[in-house]
Amino acid sequence: MIQFEDVTKDYDNQTALRNINFFIDKGEMVFFTGPSGSGKTTLLRLIYMAEKPDRGRISIAGWEADSVKESSIPFLRRHIGIVFQDFRLLTHRTIFDNVAIALRIRGMREREIKPKVYDALKTVYLRHKSDSYPLKLSGGEQQRVVIARAIVADPTVILADEPTGNLDPDTAYGIMKAFKTINAKGTTVVIATHNRELFRDTVRRVLHLDTGNLVSEDLG
Amino acid sequence: MIQFEDVTKDYDNQTALRNINFFIDKGEMVFFTGPSGSGKTTLLRLIYMAEKPDRGRISIAGWEADSVKESSIPFLRRHIGIVFQDFRLLTHRTIFDNVAIALRIRGMREREIKPKVYDALKTVYLRHKSDSYPLKLSGGEQQRVVIARAIVADPTVILADEPTGNLDPDTAYGIMKAFKTINAKGTTVVIATHNRELFRDTVRRVLHLDTGNLVSEDLG
Amino acid sequence: MPLPYTVRLAVQSLFKEPWVNLLSILTIGVGLFIISLAFLIVYNFDMATRKLPDKFSLNVYLDHNLSQERVRNIVGAFREKDAVYSVRHIPKQDALEELKNMLKDSPFVFEGLDDNPLPDSLEIKLKEKALGLETVRALANEALNIQGVNEVDYGEKFLSTIHNLKRGLHSFGAILIVILSAGIIFVCYSTVKILFYRKMDEIETYKLLGATKGFIRSPFLIEGFLIGATGGILSLLGVNAFYYLSVLKLSLSIPLFSSIIFPAQFFLWLPVIGMFLGISGAGVALGRMKY
Amino acid sequence: MPLPYTVRLAVQSLFKEPWVNLLSILTIGVGLFIISLAFLIVYNFDMATRKLPDKFSLNVYLDHNLSQERVRNIVGAFREKDAVYSVRHIPKQDALEELKNMLKDSPFVFEGLDDNPLPDSLEIKLKEKALGLETVRALANEALNIQGVNEVDYGEKFLSTIHNLKRGLHSFGAILIVILSAGIIFVCYSTVKILFYRKMDEIETYKLLGATKGFIRSPFLIEGFLIGATGGILSLLGVNAFYYLSVLKLSLSIPLFSSIIFPAQFFLWLPVIGMFLGISGAGVALGRMKY
Ligand SMILES: Nc1ncnc2c1ncn2[C@@H]1O[C@H](COP(=O)(O)OP(=O)(O)OP(=O)(O)O)[C@@H](O)[C@H]1O
Ligand SMILES: Nc1ncnc2c1ncn2[C@@H]1O[C@H](COP(=O)(O)OP(=O)(O)OP(=O)(O)O)[C@@H](O)[C@H]1O
Ligand SMILES: [Mg+2]
Ligand SMILES: [Mg+2]
């Protein structure tokens, strides 16, 4: 499903990832963890091809990073639901529209969009906020809208970057339960986080990053 | 220093805070905690007078919320260092400028600004990123810039809203140590968070909010 | 590409960014309005000078006492020339009448006059296309070589002034139209750029969510189209207002204005031109944008 | 309020938002340029008609065979009138010479002429301020009542056309200047609004960090000032380019252009005017903005 072979990514004056190797199978639930600035977000950006690797091979569900055409990247991304660390909500659109945009981009008809959006909002306990605007929500509520947008289109892969940074333990637990349910249906789930509570009592793989290196892997 | 008497704050269609009473003395370190949407950010916004209470009395270092003139609010805010939950970094300015703006607004001369900014950046382990831009930093690095901007002007009060949401435990510990050092020098520190690790082994007060109500207080 | 949704996006955006859009629409409207005025001036000048052949004539004075026969020959010779539209023979009696008529305010001039001192003359009108300064000058020289022709008279100075004015106006109009059209394209271009930069963040989000280039671009093209077309309609209204105010109202006090010709059928193209310029601007701006 | 830093902010912002600013500067430049052209046309027309008194004259034809004494009296009567600038007596011999000169292409007109059939006449020039249609008409009527005056002749039609054209041009120019000035203020206004809205977020951050209104507003005022001034300088360059191109170059082929008067001292005010309009626009925009 997701394969990294000797991947290195450099920014202007620093190496963000160095010789990374791993393989994530379809239906797995994987956590990436590591200190601030260790390269977790960069790794996820490589997966949804917002960045190109400087060296090495990346293969995502059959698409190769070094041969993929610019014009087919949108279609790759339609298989992926992303929880961005910096939210990326559209501030001038309602919560409903913010979630619906993921379906509209795919050309879905309005009639089918409505029930799906309300379902996703219910999963993150925000059904009652659907007519509100992002800047009128609390930090944790905004984060949950991002999660709803990531899951609404039933993607093949979910990439969640620090999805509970603004959530209290109880809410975080609810969100994790939802991810597990989705994972149980066959969706691959990849989560970058430093909240150890999230994976303390879960059957999963944890990969540890430190300043760009994959330092250890922990199964349990 | 900070006094709330029967404070109620309503938004369009919901009550964010209900009959809140508390007093924070000069030099205290206080934590507000509570689930997502319980009103922590709203409470801090009332302190720095970005919102007015609908009922009740708020007094901040002698300024009364219901009688303060619009034109003197800037001078109140110059006594407060704020860590915003949504960062509020200036994306088109360097990290240095982002921190320096807090001093420039106060009319400080460039010659004095430089050493102070570098000091603050050192405190959050980001001295080496001073010429970078916010969007080139990782989420945790951005959050630390916000913290540096809040402490750079030696404010009388520091208000930190979820200051470690994007930080790994080790970095979070370092930041908390810095807050404690500053607090020890007499600065009042108010932190809103749901990361219980932050205050587990600290001498402090913890106030619990739930859906707008102050439900319990915990000293230790 | 789900067109209806992108159209909705474009229209919403028009109303969400009222200032940029109003600014662009007004600028385009005024630009096209000024182009129209320039066109109106050039057009009217052309129309006015097109009637010139009716008014312009070459006067050929014949020798005294030519035979009827000879006069008829000379008339015939002129009629055969390519540039000539009509030849009128003015007998000297008629010429005297005309002169008396012209000087009727001072009839005393003719008080002592017994004999008709005037010669026969020919009034030659030219075809429109032959009304250049060179052609007329050549014709005059030819005429002087015909036996029996005494003198040829034509408004050389008048003709060359008209000629030069026409040339000047034409180049002036052309320059104005080119500059302002470029200006309008630039306005659309920078409007789209402004809107685009302002939405950079939103666009990046769309892209990361899997939107195609078409989905992202079409709202901007539609916006350029709408801005250009609205500007064009505005200038059409402006031109019509100008027509009713100045041509119809002002002509009451200033008769000169009443002779202005208003080619309505040309101005109906203004919205189409605006639309075209709007899309061009947007297209150029999008083409040069990396995303 | 630390002025140097806000100035730096304003200048930086000018370069960070090149498209809005370029758009505004060009629009203002073109607007002021067109205002200048309108002014140039009105000004030149006024200057041309100011020379009119030299060219315009009232011709008074006297009765035949008046005594020298009587003629001198009549001349004196005219000289006393307020509106009259000068009176020239043209003896009938001179008039005949003049007529012969005018008709020198057809000398045969005078072939049979023994006697001078012309009367004495007076050529009356008027003072500039008296050159209205009504004044002239009144004077002509008065003149006809003087004994010994036979006929009065003046270019009524010419005078009224000039008069009307002048009125039309003046109102046209005034309307154009008012509309375009309002347009320029609007451009500055909406530019500042655009920049302001785009920076809304940044401004909110400044405010939350403790910035005063002055700190936030001054960069916008400075920007309005710079945009307006730059637009003004641009239009000044444009006017000068226009002058050198059309007046100096075109006048070689079209002599009409060489008589254009170019009041350079007025145009030097363009940058100041632009600056003033720019600050006004920014001020209005800021005044109406809540933050
Ligand atoms: N666009 C960029 N240009 C330059 N450097 C970058 C860029 N993006 C990230 N970096 C740098 O690369 C390193 C890794 O960043 P990344 O965002 O992957 O870290 P992270 O593990 O997600 O950290 P965090 O937990 O704080 O979000 C950081 O030091 C960061 O400053
Ligand atoms: N500007 C606003 N307009 C309307 N409702 C608002 C506004 N700001 C906050 N709210 C609502 O008020 C409630 C309290 O919000 P607040 O931001 O204070 O919560 P919080 O405790 O900071 O939550 P979190 O931990 O998720 O940041 C939330 O339900 C939120 O939706
Ligand atoms: Mg990250
Ligand atoms: Mg909050």
Side-chain angles (χ1 to χ4, degrees):
Chain A
M1 190 76 208
I2 300 173
Q3 179 156 24
F4 275 48
E5 279 179 27
D6 270 333
V7 172
T8 294
K9 174 68 192 172
D10 297 319
Y11 288 121
D12 333 324
N13 43 17
Q14 101 187 77
T15 298
L17 290 174
R18 191 175 297 110
N19 293 326
I20 303 293
N21 284 287
F22 65 83
F23 176 74
I24 297 174
D25 212 351
K26 199 164 155 48
E28 267 194 284
M29 177 172 249
V30 176
F31 290 83
F32 282 95
T33 188
S36 177
S38 58
K40 303 180 293 298
T41 300
T42 304
L43 194 144
L44 296 185
R45 284 175 67 79
L46 285 167
I47 296 178
Y48 56 83
M49 298 194 180
E51 308 277 356
K52 297 254 165 198
D54 289 294
R55 274 187 301 285
R57 180 170 159 265
I58 297 178
S59 166
I60 312 294
W63 318 67
E64 298 284 330
D66 52 7
S67 64
V68 69
K69 271 189 300 175
E70 189 68 37
S71 61
S72 58
I73 288 181
F75 302 98
L76 160 66
R77 289 186 184 151
R78 290 182 191 183
H79 291 289
I80 309 177
I82 313 174
V83 179
F84 300 99
Q85 189 175 13
D86 54 356
F87 300 179
R88 297 204 152 275
L89 291 171
L90 308 171
T91 45
H92 298 295
R93 309 199 165 266
T94 62
I95 300 310
F96 181 93
D97 281 341
N98 264 284
V99 178
I101 191 73
L103 302 174
R104 289 190 176 130
I105 276 174
R106 289 165 169 81
M108 196 177 279
R109 263 167 304 167
E110 290 297 315
R111 201 157 30 77
E112 302 168 51
I113 286 176
K114 217 164 201 167
K116 280 184 152 290
V117 171
Y118 285 140
D119 258 14
L121 284 175
K122 234 174 267 164
T123 308
V124 299
Y125 322 113
L126 282 178
R127 172 68 182 78
H128 60 294
K129 292 278 185 187
S130 67
D131 293 331
S132 194
Y133 285 84
L135 294 181
K136 300 206 153 187
L137 297 190
S138 82
E141 286 163 348
Q142 290 177 26
Q143 191 156 41
R144 284 179 277 154
V145 176
V146 184
I147 294 169
R149 185 178 62 188
I151 62 177
V152 72
D154 301 320
T156 325
V157 183
I158 288 176
L159 304 178
D161 197 353
E162 205 65 74
T164 59
N166 286 277
L167 297 178
D168 57 287
D170 292 349
T171 313
Y173 179 78
I175 295 296
M176 272 313 295
K177 229 172 62 185
F179 279 149
K180 280 178 201 160
T181 313
I182 292 169
N183 177 241
K185 287 187 204 150
T187 304
T188 312
V189 176
V190 178
I191 299 174
T193 187
H194 22 60
N195 186 352
R196 289 175 191 158
E197 305 281 339
L198 284 193
F199 50 83
R200 184 157 291 169
D201 29 48
T202 310
V203 186
R204 44 43 184 171
R205 262 169 84 194
V206 181
L207 299 167
H208 292 283
L209 283 171
D210 198 355
T211 52
N213 299 296
L214 200 54
V215 288
S216 71
E217 176 160 355
D218 159 14
L219 285 155
Chain B
M1 190 75 205
I2 300 173
Q3 178 157 26
F4 274 50
E5 279 179 26
D6 270 334
V7 171
T8 294
K9 174 67 191 173
D10 297 320
Y11 288 122
D12 333 325
N13 44 17
Q14 101 187 79
T15 299
L17 290 173
R18 193 176 295 109
N19 292 326
I20 303 293
N21 283 286
F22 65 84
F23 176 75
I24 296 174
D25 213 350
K26 198 163 155 49
E28 268 194 284
M29 176 172 249
V30 177
F31 291 85
F32 282 96
T33 187
S36 176
S38 58
K40 302 181 292 298
T41 300
T42 305
L43 194 144
L44 296 185
R45 284 176 66 81
L46 285 167
I47 295 178
Y48 56 83
M49 296 193 182
E51 307 278 355
K52 296 254 163 196
D54 289 296
R55 273 186 302 286
R57 181 171 158 262
I58 297 177
S59 168
I60 312 294
W63 318 66
E64 297 285 329
D66 52 8
S67 64
V68 69
K69 271 188 299 176
E70 188 69 37
S71 61
S72 58
I73 288 181
F75 302 98
L76 161 66
R77 288 187 184 151
R78 291 183 190 181
H79 292 289
I80 309 178
I82 312 174
V83 179
F84 300 99
Q85 189 175 11
D86 54 357
F87 300 179
R88 298 203 151 276
L89 290 172
L90 309 171
T91 45
H92 297 294
R93 308 198 165 266
T94 62
I95 300 310
F96 181 93
D97 280 342
N98 264 282
V99 177
I101 190 72
L103 301 173
R104 289 189 176 131
I105 276 173
R106 289 164 168 82
M108 196 179 277
R109 265 168 302 167
E110 291 297 316
R111 198 155 33 78
E112 302 167 52
I113 286 176
K114 218 162 199 168
K116 279 182 154 290
V117 171
Y118 285 140
D119 258 13
L121 284 175
K122 234 174 267 166
T123 308
V124 297
Y125 322 112
L126 282 178
R127 172 66 182 79
H128 61 295
K129 292 278 185 186
S130 67
D131 293 331
S132 194
Y133 285 84
L135 294 180
K136 301 207 152 187
L137 298 191
S138 81
E141 286 163 347
Q142 289 177 26
Q143 191 156 40
R144 285 180 276 153
V145 176
V146 184
I147 294 169
R149 184 178 61 187
I151 62 176
V152 72
D154 300 321
T156 325
V157 183
I158 288 176
L159 305 178
D161 197 353
E162 206 66 74
T164 58
N166 286 278
L167 297 178
D168 57 288
D170 292 347
T171 314
Y173 179 78
I175 296 295
M176 272 311 294
K177 229 173 62 185
F179 279 149
K180 280 178 201 159
T181 313
I182 293 168
N183 176 241
K185 287 187 205 149
T187 304
T188 313
V189 177
V190 178
I191 299 173
T193 188
H194 23 60
N195 185 352
R196 289 178 189 152
E197 305 281 340
L198 283 195
F199 50 81
R200 187 158 287 168
D201 28 49
T202 311
V203 185
R204 43 48 186 165
R205 261 168 85 194
V206 181
L207 300 167
H208 292 283
L209 284 171
D210 198 355
T211 55
N213 298 297
L214 199 55
V215 289
S216 70
E217 177 160 352
D218 160 14
L219 284 156
Chain C
M1 192 180 66
L3 201 72
Y5 188 67
T6 59
V7 173
R8 246 169 68 203
L9 276 182
V11 175
Q12 280 172 13
S13 147
L14 266 188
F15 288 99
K16 274 199 181 138
E17 314 267 355
W19 295 109
V20 208
N21 291 313
L22 214 61
L23 182 58
S24 317
I25 288 173
L26 283 181
T27 315
I28 292 169
V30 171
L32 284 177
F33 177 68
I34 292 174
I35 287 182
S36 303
L37 285 193
F39 175 75
L40 199 65
I41 291 170
V42 171
Y43 181 83
N44 272 281
F45 190 79
D46 270 15
M47 288 318 255
T49 52
R50 192 168 291 177
K51 286 191 208 136
L52 215 59
D54 295 348
K55 285 177 186 151
F56 179 82
S57 59
L58 206 72
N59 294 309
V60 176
Y61 298 99
L62 302 181
D63 288 339
H64 280 270
N65 309 319
L66 285 180
S67 67
Q68 290 283 71
E69 174 81 35
R70 185 85 205 98
V71 170
R72 230 177 290 123
N73 278 346
I74 294 175
V75 169
F78 277 113
R79 286 229 166 98
E80 264 161 33
K81 286 189 195 298
D82 238 13
V84 171
Y85 175 73
S86 71
V87 180
R88 187 164 71 96
H89 173 220
I90 302 169
K92 54 184 176 185
Q93 297 78 9
D94 293 8
L96 186 62
E97 281 312 307
E98 212 171 306
L99 186 64
K100 276 184 176 165
N101 212 22
M102 269 169 64
L103 294 172
K104 70 169 179 287
D105 285 344
S106 323
F108 36 78
V109 174
F110 302 99
E111 266 166 18
L113 216 65
D114 309 318
D115 228 21
N116 184 350
L118 296 173
D120 276 16
S121 68
L122 306 179
E123 191 186 87
I124 299 178
K125 300 235 176 221
L126 299 183
K127 288 184 184 148
E128 192 186 323
K129 62 173 168 44
L131 214 68
L133 188 55
E134 290 75 24
T135 330
V136 174
R137 198 176 278 153
L139 191 71
N141 285 332
E142 272 181 65
L144 278 176
N145 288 336
I146 296 174
Q147 203 165 19
V149 170
N150 183 331
E151 205 182 333
V152 177
D153 199 17
Y154 65 96
E156 173 158 5
K157 200 139 190 188
F158 171 74
L159 207 63
S160 80
T161 302
I162 293 286
H163 188 68
N164 281 330
L165 258 183
K166 207 162 168 171
R167 247 182 42 197
L169 261 177
H170 273 184
S171 26
F172 188 74
I175 291 171
L176 199 71
I177 288 172
V178 168
I179 289 180
L180 288 180
S181 298
I184 289 169
I185 290 181
F186 174 76
V187 168
C188 291
Y189 174 87
S190 50
T191 306
V192 167
K193 261 199 138 69
I194 291 168
L195 295 177
F196 201 92
Y197 280 124
R198 175 125 56 135
K199 288 191 185 158
M200 207 71 128
D201 219 50
E202 199 170 321
I203 287 168
E204 179 67 18
T205 303
Y206 284 149
K207 272 175 58 194
L208 292 178
L209 294 176
T212 53
K213 270 199 178 187
F215 186 93
I216 292 170
R217 282 175 175 228
S218 42
F220 289 98
L221 285 175
I222 295 168
E223 239 173 299
F225 162 86
L226 290 176
I227 288 174
T230 314
I233 290 171
L234 210 73
S235 67
L236 182 61
L237 294 179
V239 168
N240 275 290
F242 173 82
Y243 176 66
Y244 286 110
L245 279 180
S246 64
V247 178
L248 296 188
K249 292 272 171 181
L250 269 185
S251 66
L252 294 181
S253 58
I254 307 172
L256 181 73
F257 279 101
S258 66
S259 56
I260 289 179
I261 301 167
F262 189 75
Q265 72 283 9
F266 287 152
F267 292 135
L268 286 177
W269 285 96
L270 280 173
V272 179
I273 294 171
M275 201 195 74
F276 172 77
L277 294 174
I279 294 187
S280 309
V284 174
L286 286 175
R288 304 196 50 193
M289 219 109 60
K290 269 197 313 213
Y291 56 97
Chain D
M1 193 179 64
L3 201 74
Y5 187 67
T6 59
V7 173
R8 246 169 66 202
L9 277 182
V11 174
Q12 279 172 12
S13 146
L14 267 188
F15 288 98
K16 275 199 181 139
E17 314 267 357
W19 295 108
V20 208
N21 292 313
L22 214 61
L23 182 59
S24 317
I25 289 173
L26 283 181
T27 315
I28 292 170
V30 171
L32 284 177
F33 177 68
I34 292 175
I35 288 183
S36 302
L37 285 193
F39 175 75
L40 198 65
I41 291 171
V42 171
Y43 182 82
N44 271 282
F45 191 80
D46 270 17
M47 288 317 255
T49 52
R50 193 168 289 178
K51 286 190 208 138
L52 214 58
D54 295 348
K55 286 179 184 149
F56 179 81
S57 61
L58 205 73
N59 294 311
V60 175
Y61 297 100
L62 303 180
D63 289 339
H64 280 270
N65 308 320
L66 286 180
S67 66
Q68 291 283 68
E69 174 81 35
R70 185 87 205 97
V71 171
R72 230 176 291 122
N73 278 347
I74 295 174
V75 169
F78 277 112
R79 287 231 166 96
E80 265 161 33
K81 287 190 197 297
D82 238 14
V84 171
Y85 174 71
S86 72
V87 180
R88 187 164 72 98
H89 173 221
I90 303 171
K92 53 185 177 184
Q93 297 78 10
D94 294 8
L96 185 63
E97 281 313 306
E98 212 170 309
L99 187 64
K100 278 184 174 162
N101 211 22
M102 268 168 67
L103 294 172
K104 70 167 181 291
D105 285 343
S106 322
F108 37 80
V109 174
F110 302 100
E111 266 167 17
L113 216 65
D114 309 319
D115 228 22
N116 182 350
L118 297 171
D120 277 16
S121 68
L122 305 180
E123 190 186 87
I124 299 178
K125 300 234 176 222
L126 297 183
K127 286 182 184 151
E128 191 187 324
K129 64 175 167 41
L131 213 68
L133 188 56
E134 292 75 24
T135 330
V136 175
R137 196 177 281 153
L139 192 72
N141 285 334
E142 271 180 70
L144 279 176
N145 289 337
I146 295 175
Q147 204 164 22
V149 170
N150 182 332
E151 207 183 331
V152 177
D153 197 18
Y154 66 94
E156 174 157 5
K157 202 141 188 185
F158 171 73
L159 207 62
S160 79
T161 303
I162 292 288
H163 187 69
N164 282 332
L165 258 183
K166 206 162 170 172
R167 248 181 42 198
L169 261 178
H170 273 185
S171 24
F172 189 75
I175 291 171
L176 199 71
I177 287 171
V178 168
I179 289 180
L180 288 180
S181 298
I184 289 170
I185 290 182
F186 174 77
V187 168
C188 291
Y189 174 87
S190 49
T191 306
V192 168
K193 262 199 138 71
I194 291 167
L195 295 177
F196 201 92
Y197 280 124
R198 174 126 56 132
K199 288 194 186 155
M200 208 70 127
D201 219 50
E202 197 170 320
I203 287 168
E204 179 67 16
T205 302
Y206 284 149
K207 271 175 60 192
L208 292 178
L209 294 176
T212 53
K213 270 198 177 186
F215 186 93
I216 292 169
R217 282 176 175 226
S218 41
F220 289 98
L221 286 175
I222 295 168
E223 237 172 303
F225 161 85
L226 290 177
I227 288 174
T230 314
I233 289 170
L234 210 73
S235 66
L236 182 61
L237 294 180
V239 168
N240 275 290
F242 173 82
Y243 176 65
Y244 286 109
L245 278 180
S246 64
V247 178
L248 297 188
K249 292 273 171 181
L250 267 184
S251 65
L252 294 182
S253 58
I254 308 172
L256 181 73
F257 279 101
S258 66
S259 56
I260 289 180
I261 300 166
F262 189 75
Q265 73 283 10
F266 287 153
F267 292 135
L268 286 177
W269 284 96
L270 280 174
V272 179
I273 296 171
M275 200 195 75
F276 172 77
L277 294 174
I279 294 187
S280 308
V284 174
L286 286 175
R288 303 196 51 195
M289 219 108 59
K290 266 198 313 214
Y291 55 97

